[in-house]
Amino acid sequence: MEYAIVTARISLDAMPLQRDLRLPVDYSARLIAESVLCRLFTEDDAPNPGCAVEAEMLDGGSRWRIALDTDRSWSDGRPLLAQEVADAVVHALARGSSAATHFLSGPDADSGKARPVRVVGADTVEFSFVRPVAFASALLSLPAFAPMRRSSYGHRAPVLGDCAVTHWDAEVVALERRTGSSSHGAFDAMRFEHVPLAADAVRRFHEGDLDATSPTGFGVAEVAELEGHPGAVHKPVEIFGSLDLGRQAPRAWLASAEARRSVSAVLDRNRLGTVTAGLAESWRWPIIDALGAGAPDGFADDSVQRCAALGVDGPLDIAYSAFDPNAEIAEEVAAQLRAALGIEVRTRELSFDAYVRASTTRDFCLLYSLTTPAFSHPAGSLSDWHSTGRAARRSGLRDPVLDTALDAAESCHDPAEADRLWACASNRWCTLLPKIPLVRVRAWYLRGGCLSGLEVSQAGLLRLEAG
């Protein structure tokens, strides 16, 4: 069949590491999942609603009943069924989704636990949680819970979202808009092309070969050249850079929260913003004042002496993934630690695959890492630091006080009281400082006139709307 397709062409600085868009492990996969999947709920700044129309709290938040949009249908015309939400949960649990395994009851009905999700009608499902939660709709906005057709799983399978994947190889991912889709304006298709070098993406944009660039691909040199460019857009997003401590980190830092706070206190975050031309800015967290003397924005007069007194021997190694401006940040952190400790501190670039492996195995000394909240609620940042969560397990953090604070916050369904409890959990995390917060990311990208409506969400994802 012949198609007359108007295509929006967008660069990616890295291709997705895997094709399971429900469990994306990198930015590129999350970007594509935005268009292919139709999640149950969407964030506040999302242009389109999810496929759930009602969420009813039961048993004080231990169960939630979700009603689906009966007008939703798959791209092959088949109506959405509640069983397809249940299938998505089974898939998420089987693949080890951190959110699914942390919040939902175990899938084994014979164990005495409630089933994590139960079909109670053709268009209604009930979720059972390990403990009461007040933030079910935020949690269920994750791609892991997007309905799926188990009988036809794969990137060419029927879709609920606005677009279907028509091509996927090592260099190009192509999406075609579904007939009748309300999104993406005048564009019938999108073509994501792997352009690893930012300079090449800028050149191709100027030549008219790209309509937009990824908001994660620019380095310091490109940003300096693009200042004032009519097509350049930038804004701070909820992506944060931290100094992570691996198995080879100094034992004193691994063993003592006070030592980690001393290290944190000698690092000048404002310098990190300067050396990145504004691609990063000093860490801003709502509970920044709770950090006290070790706060990133306020350095104690004796912080260098306290840090030097830890008696750490060199050399130290800071690894980072091979994307801009990670090198500039790692080099600046190394220079500051070198000056404070009087020891050799080196940097080491990793391929993205090696960076992901290192993050999983913890086989490094120090690692500059980027993270974003799993979903738009404090639980999306903090719950994974419960001793049963993936972040806590990987870092070896087991803190009964934090566990108690998180249990109380997660189980509270009174919004006013929950805010206080989440602040307590946040304060405890800051006291422990299992990783050292550094910067918040400012996303930069280019968009052409035909994509004047293209915006970046708080999570750093492109909202693919035409002007």
Short mmCIF file of all heavy atoms in Angstrom, two decimals, residues 347-394:
data_model
loop_
_atom_site.label_atom_id
_atom_site.label_comp_id
_atom_site.label_asym_id
_atom_site.label_seq_id
_atom_site.Cartn_x
_atom_site.Cartn_y
_atom_site.Cartn_z
N THR A 347 39.64 10.36 36.21
CA THR A 347 38.34 10.14 35.58
C THR A 347 38.49 9.08 34.49
O THR A 347 39.57 8.90 33.92
CB THR A 347 37.77 11.43 34.96
OG1 THR A 347 38.65 11.89 33.94
CG2 THR A 347 37.61 12.51 36.02
N ARG A 348 37.37 8.40 34.21
CA ARG A 348 37.40 7.32 33.23
C ARG A 348 36.08 7.29 32.48
O ARG A 348 35.02 7.17 33.09
CB ARG A 348 37.65 5.98 33.93
CG ARG A 348 37.67 4.75 33.03
CD ARG A 348 38.24 3.56 33.78
NE ARG A 348 37.53 3.29 35.00
CZ ARG A 348 36.54 2.41 35.13
NH1 ARG A 348 36.14 1.72 34.07
NH2 ARG A 348 35.96 2.20 36.30
N GLU A 349 36.13 7.39 31.16
CA GLU A 349 34.93 7.35 30.33
C GLU A 349 34.52 5.92 30.05
O GLU A 349 35.35 5.06 29.73
CB GLU A 349 35.20 8.09 29.01
CG GLU A 349 34.01 8.14 28.09
CD GLU A 349 34.32 8.85 26.78
OE1 GLU A 349 34.18 10.08 26.73
OE2 GLU A 349 34.73 8.16 25.82
N LEU A 350 33.22 5.66 30.16
CA LEU A 350 32.65 4.34 29.87
C LEU A 350 31.69 4.46 28.69
O LEU A 350 30.99 5.47 28.53
CB LEU A 350 31.88 3.80 31.07
CG LEU A 350 32.61 3.63 32.40
CD1 LEU A 350 31.63 3.16 33.46
CD2 LEU A 350 33.76 2.66 32.27
N SER A 351 31.61 3.41 27.88
CA SER A 351 30.52 3.33 26.91
C SER A 351 29.21 3.24 27.66
O SER A 351 29.18 2.89 28.86
CB SER A 351 30.69 2.11 26.01
OG SER A 351 30.48 0.91 26.76
N PHE A 352 28.10 3.54 27.00
CA PHE A 352 26.82 3.50 27.69
C PHE A 352 26.52 2.09 28.21
O PHE A 352 26.03 1.92 29.33
CB PHE A 352 25.70 4.01 26.79
CG PHE A 352 24.39 4.18 27.51
CD1 PHE A 352 24.32 4.96 28.64
CD2 PHE A 352 23.25 3.54 27.06
CE1 PHE A 352 23.11 5.13 29.32
CE2 PHE A 352 22.04 3.70 27.73
CZ PHE A 352 21.97 4.50 28.86
N ASP A 353 26.80 1.07 27.41
CA ASP A 353 26.58 -0.30 27.86
C ASP A 353 27.41 -0.61 29.10
O ASP A 353 26.91 -1.23 30.06
CB ASP A 353 26.94 -1.29 26.74
CG ASP A 353 25.90 -1.30 25.63
OD1 ASP A 353 24.90 -0.59 25.77
OD2 ASP A 353 26.12 -2.00 24.62
N ALA A 354 28.68 -0.18 29.10
CA ALA A 354 29.55 -0.42 30.26
C ALA A 354 29.06 0.34 31.48
O ALA A 354 29.15 -0.14 32.62
CB ALA A 354 30.98 -0.03 29.92
N TYR A 355 28.54 1.55 31.25
CA TYR A 355 27.99 2.35 32.35
C TYR A 355 26.79 1.65 32.99
O TYR A 355 26.68 1.58 34.22
CB TYR A 355 27.59 3.73 31.80
CG TYR A 355 26.66 4.51 32.67
CD1 TYR A 355 27.11 5.16 33.82
CD2 TYR A 355 25.30 4.62 32.35
CE1 TYR A 355 26.24 5.89 34.62
CE2 TYR A 355 24.43 5.35 33.14
CZ TYR A 355 24.90 5.99 34.27
OH TYR A 355 24.04 6.70 35.05
N VAL A 356 25.89 1.10 32.16
CA VAL A 356 24.72 0.39 32.69
C VAL A 356 25.16 -0.84 33.47
O VAL A 356 24.65 -1.14 34.56
CB VAL A 356 23.75 0.02 31.56
CG1 VAL A 356 22.63 -0.88 32.07
CG2 VAL A 356 23.16 1.28 30.93
N ARG A 357 26.15 -1.58 32.93
CA ARG A 357 26.65 -2.77 33.64
C ARG A 357 27.27 -2.37 34.98
O ARG A 357 27.06 -3.04 36.00
CB ARG A 357 27.66 -3.51 32.78
CG ARG A 357 27.06 -4.29 31.62
CD ARG A 357 28.05 -5.29 31.05
NE ARG A 357 29.24 -4.63 30.53
CZ ARG A 357 29.36 -4.16 29.29
NH1 ARG A 357 28.33 -4.28 28.45
NH2 ARG A 357 30.47 -3.60 28.88
N ALA A 358 28.04 -1.29 34.97
CA ALA A 358 28.68 -0.85 36.22
C ALA A 358 27.62 -0.44 37.24
O ALA A 358 27.73 -0.77 38.43
CB ALA A 358 29.62 0.32 35.93
N SER A 359 26.58 0.25 36.79
CA SER A 359 25.51 0.67 37.70
C SER A 359 24.84 -0.54 38.36
O SER A 359 24.44 -0.47 39.53
CB SER A 359 24.44 1.48 36.94
OG SER A 359 24.99 2.64 36.40
N THR A 360 24.74 -1.64 37.61
CA THR A 360 24.08 -2.83 38.12
C THR A 360 24.99 -3.64 39.03
O THR A 360 24.56 -4.10 40.10
CB THR A 360 23.61 -3.72 36.94
OG1 THR A 360 22.74 -2.96 36.11
CG2 THR A 360 22.91 -4.97 37.44
N THR A 361 26.26 -3.82 38.65
CA THR A 361 27.17 -4.67 39.40
C THR A 361 27.85 -3.95 40.55
O THR A 361 28.41 -4.59 41.43
CB THR A 361 28.26 -5.22 38.47
OG1 THR A 361 29.05 -4.13 37.97
CG2 THR A 361 27.64 -5.99 37.31
N ARG A 362 27.84 -2.60 40.54
CA ARG A 362 28.52 -1.76 41.53
C ARG A 362 30.03 -1.95 41.50
O ARG A 362 30.73 -1.64 42.46
CB ARG A 362 28.01 -2.06 42.95
CG ARG A 362 26.53 -2.17 43.10
CD ARG A 362 25.83 -0.91 42.73
NE ARG A 362 26.18 0.22 43.60
CZ ARG A 362 25.79 1.47 43.38
NH1 ARG A 362 25.05 1.76 42.32
NH2 ARG A 362 26.14 2.43 44.21
N ASP A 363 30.56 -2.43 40.38
CA ASP A 363 31.99 -2.69 40.26
C ASP A 363 32.71 -1.41 39.80
O ASP A 363 33.18 -1.31 38.68
CB ASP A 363 32.24 -3.84 39.29
CG ASP A 363 33.69 -4.29 39.29
OD1 ASP A 363 34.40 -3.97 40.26
OD2 ASP A 363 34.12 -4.96 38.32
N PHE A 364 32.78 -0.45 40.68
CA PHE A 364 33.46 0.81 40.40
C PHE A 364 33.84 1.45 41.72
O PHE A 364 33.40 1.02 42.80
CB PHE A 364 32.57 1.76 39.58
CG PHE A 364 31.25 2.09 40.22
CD1 PHE A 364 31.13 3.12 41.15
CD2 PHE A 364 30.10 1.37 39.90
CE1 PHE A 364 29.92 3.42 41.74
CE2 PHE A 364 28.88 1.67 40.49
CZ PHE A 364 28.79 2.70 41.42
N CYS A 365 34.66 2.49 41.64
CA CYS A 365 35.00 3.28 42.83
C CYS A 365 33.95 4.37 43.02
O CYS A 365 33.14 4.29 43.93
CB CYS A 365 36.41 3.85 42.68
SG CYS A 365 36.93 4.93 44.03
N LEU A 366 33.98 5.37 42.14
CA LEU A 366 32.97 6.43 42.13
C LEU A 366 32.38 6.50 40.73
O LEU A 366 33.08 6.25 39.74
CB LEU A 366 33.58 7.78 42.51
CG LEU A 366 34.31 7.85 43.85
CD1 LEU A 366 35.01 9.19 44.02
CD2 LEU A 366 33.34 7.61 45.00
N LEU A 367 31.10 6.84 40.63
CA LEU A 367 30.43 6.89 39.34
C LEU A 367 29.54 8.12 39.30
O LEU A 367 28.71 8.33 40.20
CB LEU A 367 29.58 5.63 39.14
CG LEU A 367 28.78 5.53 37.83
CD1 LEU A 367 29.71 5.27 36.66
CD2 LEU A 367 27.71 4.43 37.92
N TYR A 368 29.74 8.95 38.27
CA TYR A 368 28.79 10.04 38.05
C TYR A 368 27.59 9.44 37.33
O TYR A 368 27.70 8.94 36.21
CB TYR A 368 29.41 11.16 37.21
CG TYR A 368 28.41 12.23 36.85
CD1 TYR A 368 27.88 13.05 37.84
CD2 TYR A 368 27.95 12.38 35.55
CE1 TYR A 368 26.92 14.01 37.54
CE2 TYR A 368 27.00 13.34 35.23
CZ TYR A 368 26.49 14.14 36.23
OH TYR A 368 25.54 15.09 35.93
N SER A 369 26.43 9.47 37.97
CA SER A 369 25.25 8.80 37.43
C SER A 369 24.08 9.77 37.35
O SER A 369 23.97 10.72 38.13
CB SER A 369 24.86 7.60 38.29
OG SER A 369 24.55 8.01 39.61
N LEU A 370 23.19 9.52 36.40
CA LEU A 370 21.98 10.31 36.21
C LEU A 370 20.76 9.47 36.58
O LEU A 370 20.67 8.30 36.20
CB LEU A 370 21.85 10.77 34.76
CG LEU A 370 22.85 11.82 34.29
CD1 LEU A 370 22.71 12.04 32.79
CD2 LEU A 370 22.66 13.13 35.03
N THR A 371 19.85 10.07 37.32
CA THR A 371 18.62 9.38 37.69
C THR A 371 17.45 10.35 37.54
O THR A 371 17.61 11.57 37.60
CB THR A 371 18.65 8.87 39.14
OG1 THR A 371 18.90 9.97 40.03
CG2 THR A 371 19.71 7.82 39.33
N THR A 372 16.27 9.79 37.36
CA THR A 372 15.04 10.58 37.30
C THR A 372 14.00 9.86 38.14
O THR A 372 14.01 8.62 38.23
CB THR A 372 14.56 10.75 35.85
OG1 THR A 372 13.47 11.66 35.81
CG2 THR A 372 14.14 9.43 35.24
N PRO A 373 13.10 10.58 38.81
CA PRO A 373 12.06 9.90 39.59
C PRO A 373 11.27 8.93 38.72
O PRO A 373 10.98 9.22 37.56
CB PRO A 373 11.17 11.05 40.08
CG PRO A 373 12.08 12.25 40.09
CD PRO A 373 13.00 12.04 38.92
N ALA A 374 10.91 7.78 39.30
CA ALA A 374 10.16 6.79 38.53
C ALA A 374 8.79 7.32 38.13
O ALA A 374 8.30 7.04 37.04
CB ALA A 374 10.01 5.51 39.35
N PHE A 375 8.17 8.11 39.00
CA PHE A 375 6.87 8.72 38.69
C PHE A 375 6.74 9.97 39.53
O PHE A 375 7.52 10.23 40.46
CB PHE A 375 5.71 7.75 38.93
CG PHE A 375 5.70 7.08 40.28
CD1 PHE A 375 5.00 7.63 41.35
CD2 PHE A 375 6.38 5.89 40.48
CE1 PHE A 375 5.00 7.01 42.58
CE2 PHE A 375 6.38 5.26 41.72
CZ PHE A 375 5.69 5.83 42.78
N SER A 376 5.74 10.79 39.21
CA SER A 376 5.64 12.14 39.76
C SER A 376 5.00 12.17 41.15
O SER A 376 3.88 12.64 41.33
CB SER A 376 4.84 13.03 38.80
OG SER A 376 3.56 12.46 38.55
N HIS A 377 5.71 11.63 42.12
CA HIS A 377 5.30 11.64 43.51
C HIS A 377 6.57 11.38 44.32
O HIS A 377 7.51 10.73 43.80
CB HIS A 377 4.25 10.55 43.77
CG HIS A 377 3.72 10.56 45.18
ND1 HIS A 377 4.35 9.90 46.20
CD2 HIS A 377 2.62 11.14 45.72
CE1 HIS A 377 3.66 10.08 47.32
NE2 HIS A 377 2.61 10.83 47.05
N PRO A 378 6.68 11.87 45.57
CA PRO A 378 7.90 11.57 46.35
C PRO A 378 8.25 10.10 46.40
O PRO A 378 9.42 9.73 46.45
CB PRO A 378 7.54 12.12 47.74
CG PRO A 378 6.59 13.24 47.47
CD PRO A 378 5.78 12.80 46.28
N ALA A 379 7.23 9.24 46.35
CA ALA A 379 7.50 7.80 46.35
C ALA A 379 8.32 7.38 45.13
O ALA A 379 9.07 6.41 45.17
CB ALA A 379 6.20 7.01 46.39
N GLY A 380 8.17 8.12 44.03
CA GLY A 380 8.91 7.80 42.82
C GLY A 380 10.40 7.99 42.97
O GLY A 380 11.19 7.40 42.21
N SER A 381 10.84 8.81 43.93
CA SER A 381 12.26 9.01 44.19
C SER A 381 12.75 8.20 45.39
O SER A 381 13.87 7.69 45.39
CB SER A 381 12.55 10.49 44.46
OG SER A 381 12.23 11.30 43.37
N LEU A 382 11.91 8.08 46.41
CA LEU A 382 12.39 7.58 47.69
C LEU A 382 12.10 6.11 47.96
O LEU A 382 12.87 5.45 48.67
CB LEU A 382 11.78 8.41 48.82
CG LEU A 382 12.28 9.86 48.93
CD1 LEU A 382 11.44 10.64 49.91
CD2 LEU A 382 13.74 9.87 49.34
N SER A 383 11.00 5.57 47.43
CA SER A 383 10.61 4.22 47.83
C SER A 383 11.63 3.16 47.46
O SER A 383 11.74 2.13 48.13
CB SER A 383 9.24 3.87 47.21
OG SER A 383 8.22 4.60 47.84
N ASP A 384 12.39 3.41 46.39
CA ASP A 384 13.39 2.42 45.99
C ASP A 384 14.55 2.34 46.97
O ASP A 384 15.39 1.45 46.87
CB ASP A 384 13.92 2.76 44.59
CG ASP A 384 14.28 1.51 43.79
OD1 ASP A 384 13.75 0.43 44.11
OD2 ASP A 384 15.12 1.61 42.88
N TRP A 385 14.59 3.27 47.94
CA TRP A 385 15.64 3.24 48.98
C TRP A 385 15.19 2.49 50.22
O TRP A 385 15.95 2.39 51.19
CB TRP A 385 16.08 4.66 49.32
CG TRP A 385 16.84 5.28 48.19
CD1 TRP A 385 16.38 6.15 47.26
CD2 TRP A 385 18.20 5.03 47.86
NE1 TRP A 385 17.37 6.46 46.37
CE2 TRP A 385 18.51 5.80 46.71
CE3 TRP A 385 19.21 4.24 48.41
CZ2 TRP A 385 19.76 5.79 46.11
CZ3 TRP A 385 20.46 4.23 47.84
CH2 TRP A 385 20.73 5.00 46.70
N HIS A 386 13.95 1.97 50.23
CA HIS A 386 13.57 1.00 51.26
C HIS A 386 14.50 -0.19 51.12
O HIS A 386 14.96 -0.52 50.03
CB HIS A 386 12.11 0.60 51.04
CG HIS A 386 11.50 -0.15 52.19
ND1 HIS A 386 11.83 -1.46 52.48
CD2 HIS A 386 10.58 0.23 53.13
CE1 HIS A 386 11.13 -1.86 53.53
NE2 HIS A 386 10.36 -0.85 53.94
N SER A 387 14.81 -0.85 52.21
CA SER A 387 15.80 -1.94 52.17
C SER A 387 15.39 -3.05 51.20
O SER A 387 16.24 -3.83 50.75
CB SER A 387 16.01 -2.53 53.56
OG SER A 387 14.80 -3.04 54.09
N THR A 388 14.10 -3.12 50.83
CA THR A 388 13.64 -4.10 49.85
C THR A 388 13.72 -3.57 48.43
O THR A 388 13.48 -4.30 47.48
CB THR A 388 12.19 -4.51 50.14
OG1 THR A 388 11.35 -3.34 50.09
CG2 THR A 388 12.06 -5.15 51.52
N GLY A 389 14.04 -2.29 48.25
CA GLY A 389 14.07 -1.68 46.94
C GLY A 389 15.38 -1.93 46.21
O GLY A 389 16.41 -2.23 46.82
N ARG A 390 15.34 -1.76 44.89
CA ARG A 390 16.51 -2.06 44.07
C ARG A 390 17.69 -1.14 44.38
O ARG A 390 18.83 -1.59 44.48
CB ARG A 390 16.14 -1.97 42.58
CG ARG A 390 17.26 -2.36 41.65
CD ARG A 390 16.76 -2.41 40.21
NE ARG A 390 15.74 -3.42 40.05
CZ ARG A 390 15.03 -3.60 38.94
NH1 ARG A 390 15.23 -2.79 37.90
NH2 ARG A 390 14.11 -4.54 38.85
N ALA A 391 17.43 0.16 44.54
CA ALA A 391 18.52 1.10 44.82
C ALA A 391 19.21 0.75 46.13
O ALA A 391 20.45 0.78 46.22
CB ALA A 391 17.99 2.53 44.85
N ALA A 392 18.41 0.44 47.16
CA ALA A 392 19.00 0.09 48.46
C ALA A 392 19.78 -1.21 48.38
O ALA A 392 20.88 -1.33 48.95
CB ALA A 392 17.90 -0.01 49.51
N ARG A 393 19.25 -2.20 47.68
CA ARG A 393 19.94 -3.48 47.57
C ARG A 393 21.27 -3.32 46.84
O ARG A 393 22.29 -3.90 47.23
CB ARG A 393 19.06 -4.51 46.85
CG ARG A 393 17.79 -4.89 47.62
CD ARG A 393 17.21 -6.20 47.10
NE ARG A 393 17.06 -6.21 45.67
CZ ARG A 393 15.98 -5.79 45.01
NH1 ARG A 393 14.97 -5.27 45.69
NH2 ARG A 393 15.89 -5.87 43.70
N ARG A 394 21.25 -2.54 45.75
CA ARG A 394 22.49 -2.38 44.99
C ARG A 394 23.55 -1.64 45.77
O ARG A 394 24.75 -1.93 45.65
CB ARG A 394 22.18 -1.64 43.69
CG ARG A 394 21.46 -2.48 42.65
CD ARG A 394 21.17 -1.67 41.39
NE ARG A 394 20.60 -2.51 40.34
CZ ARG A 394 20.17 -2.05 39.18
NH1 ARG A 394 20.24 -0.74 38.92
NH2 ARG A 394 19.67 -2.86 38.27
#
